Amino acid sequence: QVPVVESGGGLVQAGGSLRLSCAPSGRDFVSYAMGWFRQAPGKEREFVAAISRKDGTTYYGDSVKGRFTISRDKANNTAYLQMNDLKPEDTAVYYCSAATIVIRLERGDCDYWGRGTQVTVSS
């Protein structure tokens, strides 16, 4: 059973927006930091954003700062990634992840991963 399930990916024109969701599947992630990574074809996995478990502090990769916003709804245990001003270089499979502490998550040392959702940005 996949512990987290991503949704919200799709095809969008450059300059458009998408909102990704990451919902738990059979597990409570209230005590975990949650975050997003992405991987484009032929490229390494890239850290996108993370949100801490305690106070909701957020962290972003340099390429998405000012355009993407991560948030979480503890009531339904769901994390979100609002992506604005999308660019063709944002095209990738986006993966949701969870880790016990945000420092581990930022470096990709995650306890749980989703299967990913495709985001394609056309020029």
Side-chain angles (χ1 to χ4, degrees):
Q1 184 180 17
V2 180
V4 290
V5 179
E6 304 95 336
S7 62
L11 174 64
V12 64
Q13 288 187 331
S17 299
L18 283 174
R19 187 193 194 203
L20 305 183
S21 298
C22 173
S25 177
R27 187 173 186 91
D28 184 352
F29 286 101
V30 172
S31 59
Y32 284 76
M34 298 187 75
W36 294 89
F37 287 79
R38 67 186 182 186
Q39 188 165 21
K43 294 187 177 180
E44 293 187 353
R45 183 180 63 196
E46 177 187 13
F47 168 73
V48 175
I51 186 165
S52 69
R53 60 179 179 172
K54 289 185 177 180
D55 59 9
T57 302
T58 56
Y59 306 82
Y60 296 95
D62 289 341
S63 61
V64 306
K65 283 180 182 176
R67 299 188 297 122
F68 290 10
T69 303
I70 187 171
S71 61
R72 69 189 298 172
D73 183 341
K74 289 192 173 181
N76 60 19
N77 216 7
T78 299
Y80 302 95
L81 185 68
Q82 178 66 43
M83 306 185 294
N84 297 329
D85 190 24
L86 283 161
K87 304 175 181 181
E89 51 264 43
D90 294 317
T91 295
V93 177
Y94 284 70
Y95 297 91
C96 179
S97 62
T100 52
I101 56 175
V102 71
I103 291 176
R104 288 183 56 225
L105 191 151
E106 282 187 277
R107 62 179 188 238
D109 182 18
C110 300
D111 299 295
Y112 300 99
W113 292 92
R115 289 179 175 166
T117 185
Q118 177 71 44
V119 171
T120 303
V121 185
S122 63
S123 57

